[in-house]
Amino acid sequence: MRRIALTLAIGLLPLLFVPAAESQDLASFEERTTVETLDNGLTVIVVERHEAPVFSFFTHVNVGADREVPGITGLAHMFEHMAFKGTHTIGTSDYEAEKKALAKVEEAYRAYDRARRAKNPDTDEVERLEKEWRAAIEEADQYVVSNEFGEIIDRVGGVGLNAFTSSDETGYFYSFPVNRLELWAYLESERFMEPVMREFYEERDVVMEERRMRSESNPVGRLVEQFLAAAFLAHPYGQPVVGWPSDLRTFSAADAKEFYDKYYVPSNMVVTVAGDVTPEEVLPVVRKYFGRLPAAPAPEPLRTEEPPQIAERKVVIEEQTQPFYVEGYIKPPATHPDNAVYDAIADILSDGRTSRLYKSLVRDQKIAAVAAGFNNMPGEKYRNLFAFFAVPTPGHTPQEMQTAIREEIDRLRTEKVSEEELEMVKTKAKANLLRQLRSNQGLAFQIGSYQALYGDWRELFRQVDRIDEVTAEDVLRVAQESFVPERRTVAMIQTTDPAEAEPGSPEGSGSTEGEEG
């Protein structure tokens, strides 16, 4: 979902939206794509598209919420924010003085945090240490030149400066005129060579507010958080990318630096440049600047695997709000040979007004405003969920959504899909690929993401070929294997009558339970 949403969003950037004049097949891209691994382990990809004097880039770091443990949840996202705060030379009026002041901030924070989390905290001592810590922050802040990194990019014609963190990865991107190639290489390499944890605790408060908006003040956000926590007992996919509240109030700038040192190493990164450039122009500049990043071993593989699910799990939240329904089935990662079959199933169920869930729940029965099924939630690298959701129309319930969705699931499990449906899916897959590649930014994102996940950017095209090879028998087999009760997690918001809400609890209550399949 994140990949699709980001592709659509960046495709709307006016400067980046270029006509698909060049051929978009694998052979043509092989002629225009160059991959090089620098001596320090960084993978660099250059994709030529000579249609306008601009280029876009995508820096992929192979770390997201998947590498967080209790105590530092949300730290991958937090460091993403820090990457915009500047360097030893950008964002500061006097770095040597600021460096000393930031060290005092960390010393004061350690003392304050240790005191407030003591078994029997001394409230007076905690208050005194908090004042010292905040005074240290004020002292460090006097050296900060706010937003200087972004303002430099704006002044010289950069557009679309942004980033994201997911369960699987962290990504950074923007676009420049081609005559700013060397400036881009300096800025992008510099912020990962010399990040400074300035304004860390102010930004931590910003992230806490993001959490309040996304989850704590958003009924669907709260439901999805509980849904994933129930679906993944051991794996980090059960943790929110934005982090748990107690961790957001506790982790430190020192924790963020330790996280950076371990995961932001060249061997764990892919940088893709796409646009009016050539390898002869890009690679020497990239070697000069990105080659400065010190080499380090790639992080070890994730140890924790989600254990087999043996019973259905269920979450019910009762609130005075719009009802909502979601259910998911544990399945293999995107690198599994059957991933193309799951993608085909998602299109059969959800792609457009001819899809099964739309026709059944929205058009014919008129019980849902929206209904869909999608692959790879909340990430792709590890075992994840194939999920279904529906938003009931007024007067209808989550239980009706459940019944209607499972009728469509049963159809997939008992009847072969028609050749007409499969052919439509295959045609749409090719069209979707073209849409994803028609902007420089979309191209850089897709090529870089597939290189990182599969070790070969060509998988972007091979995935479409694999969908083209999916048969009705494949769909039947995968549906029968996957969509079974013991692999299922269900979550719903049931709307309560205001008169039934408990006094002092206007938002109702929630419960989580396990049920035998």
Side-chain angles (χ1 to χ4, degrees):
M1 286 188 73
R2 190 264 313 141
R3 173 169 290 161
I4 295 170
L6 180 68
T7 301
L8 293 175
I10 58 184
L12 295 175
L13 293 174
L15 181 60
L16 310 179
F17 216 87
V18 294
E22 296 183 80
S23 177
Q24 302 281 43
D25 58 23
L26 175 56
S28 71
F29 271 101
E30 286 182 321
E31 294 175 358
R32 296 184 279 128
T33 301
T34 302
V35 181
E36 179 175 309
T37 301
L38 304 189
D39 291 341
N40 60 8
L42 181 76
T43 299
V44 183
I45 308 175
V46 182
V47 188
E48 297 181 63
R49 173 181 269 156
H50 304 292
E51 296 179 343
V54 295
F55 74 92
S56 301
F57 82 94
F58 176 60
T59 297
H60 172 282
V61 188
N62 189 28
V63 62
D66 62 322
R67 305 317 292 266
E68 296 169 350
V69 296
I72 62 165
T73 62
L75 198 53
H77 176 228
M78 184 67 198
F79 183 81
E80 174 215 313
H81 283 236
M82 287 294 97
F84 291 86
K85 293 296 182 179
T87 68
H88 293 187
T89 57
I90 299 171
T92 184
S93 60
D94 183 347
Y95 181 68
E96 288 307 312
E98 183 188 25
K99 182 179 179 180
K100 295 176 182 177
L102 288 173
K104 289 181 180 179
V105 171
E106 282 307 285
E107 183 180 354
Y109 180 73
R110 281 194 297 272
Y112 161 62
D113 185 54
R114 190 164 49 243
R116 73 186 173 105
R117 291 196 291 126
K119 186 175 181 180
N120 296 300
D122 181 331
T123 54
D124 291 338
E125 177 73 356
V126 169
E127 184 177 347
R128 181 185 68 80
L129 291 171
E130 182 179 10
K131 287 180 179 178
E132 291 182 2
W133 167 54
R134 295 195 182 279
I137 290 175
E138 287 186 15
E139 180 184 348
D141 284 351
Q142 67 180 313
Y143 303 106
V144 174
V145 181
S146 295
N147 302 318
E148 186 174 24
F149 184 84
E151 288 174 359
I152 291 172
I153 292 168
D154 288 342
R155 283 199 303 268
V156 295
V159 296
L161 174 65
N162 215 327
F164 68 88
T165 307
S166 74
S167 294
D168 284 341
E169 63 183 317
T170 308
Y172 303 85
F173 53 93
Y174 57 91
S175 302
F176 256 154
V178 291
N179 62 355
R180 302 298 185 185
L181 179 66
E182 187 160 6
L183 177 61
W184 160 75
Y186 166 74
L187 290 173
E188 188 67 3
S189 62
E190 188 79 0
R191 68 166 161 172
F192 296 126
M193 187 173 72
E194 299 185 304
V196 178
M197 304 301 157
R198 58 174 58 97
E199 298 181 306
F200 181 87
Y201 297 99
E202 295 96 322
E203 202 66 29
R204 197 179 68 171
D205 291 340
V206 170
V207 173
M208 178 64 84
E209 187 59 31
E210 284 185 35
R211 178 184 163 78
R212 291 190 187 101
M213 293 175 62
R214 293 180 187 179
S215 300
E216 295 168 14
S217 300
N218 184 326
V220 174
R222 290 196 294 274
L223 181 75
V224 170
E225 186 170 273
Q226 294 292 317
F227 170 65
L228 291 176
F232 296 96
L233 299 181
H235 195 275
Y237 276 172
Q239 301 170 166
V241 173
V242 73
W244 296 116
S246 60
D247 293 350
L248 293 177
R249 288 190 291 266
T250 305
F251 60 55
S252 67
D255 292 326
K257 180 62 165 58
E258 183 179 345
F259 191 87
Y260 157 79
D261 288 340
K262 183 171 184 178
Y263 295 108
Y264 276 70
V265 296
S267 54
N268 208 37
M269 300 169 67
V270 175
V271 176
T272 306
V273 181
D276 191 21
V277 293
T278 66
E280 292 75 21
E281 295 169 324
V282 174
L283 292 176
V285 174
V286 168
R287 294 182 198 118
K288 176 181 177 180
Y289 291 101
F290 286 89
R292 300 178 299 161
L293 301 178
E300 70 280 358
L302 184 66
R303 293 179 178 181
T304 303
E305 296 181 6
E306 183 65 20
Q309 185 174 341
I310 60 174
E312 183 181 82
R313 301 165 190 165
K314 187 175 182 181
V315 175
V316 179
I317 298 178
E318 296 181 351
E319 294 195 5
Q320 298 172 42
T321 188
Q322 167 74 44
F324 194 92
Y325 181 80
V326 58
E327 69 177 51
Y329 297 81
I330 200 79
K331 55 165 284 291
T335 51
H336 191 275
D338 281 335
N339 192 61
V341 184
Y342 288 106
D343 280 344
I345 291 173
D347 286 347
I348 290 167
L349 292 169
S350 306
D351 194 355
R353 293 176 176 267
T354 59
S355 64
R356 290 188 175 189
L357 288 173
Y358 179 87
K359 288 195 296 185
S360 175
L361 279 71
V362 179
R363 189 193 69 184
D364 297 342
Q365 298 184 63
K366 295 182 174 57
I367 60 174
V370 180
F374 55 93
N375 193 14
N376 296 323
M377 179 187 184
E380 302 175 302
K381 287 197 296 188
Y382 315 98
R383 295 180 70 215
N384 56 70
L385 298 174
F386 191 102
F388 302 82
F389 77 93
V391 180
T393 51
H396 295 282
T397 67
Q399 288 76 13
E400 290 176 89
M401 304 302 103
Q402 181 180 93
T403 299
I405 286 172
R406 291 188 186 169
E407 286 176 356
E408 294 304 321
I409 292 174
D410 287 343
R411 282 184 63 196
L412 287 173
R413 287 172 45 81
T414 57
E415 303 172 11
K416 288 185 180 180
V417 298
S418 69
E419 289 303 317
E420 290 76 13
E421 277 184 298
L422 272 181
E423 191 57 39
M424 190 177 299
V425 164
K426 295 170 183 180
T427 300
K428 287 181 178 179
K430 296 168 186 174
N432 287 338
L433 175 62
L434 294 179
R435 280 195 292 270
Q436 291 167 0
L437 302 182
R438 68 181 167 185
S439 75
N440 289 337
Q441 192 67 77
L443 177 58
F445 174 73
Q446 294 293 339
I447 293 286
S449 293
Y450 274 80
Q451 178 70 31
L453 181 62
Y454 294 94
D456 187 350
W457 61 269
R458 295 170 183 82
E459 286 297 315
L460 172 61
F461 296 87
R462 293 171 183 155
Q463 286 293 318
V464 176
D465 292 339
R466 291 190 181 100
I467 291 176
D468 203 42
E469 296 169 358
V470 171
T471 66
E473 288 77 14
D474 289 329
V475 173
L476 188 67
R477 171 182 57 81
V478 168
Q480 289 175 345
E481 292 173 355
S482 302
F483 302 141
V484 294
E486 58 268 26
R487 288 193 180 191
R488 184 165 61 211
T489 301
V490 173
M492 67 181 74
I493 297 174
Q494 292 191 154
T495 304
T496 59
D497 188 310
E500 297 176 358
E502 295 181 12
S505 302
E507 291 188 342
S509 61
S511 65
T512 303
E513 58 186 273
E515 296 181 354
E516 289 298 322

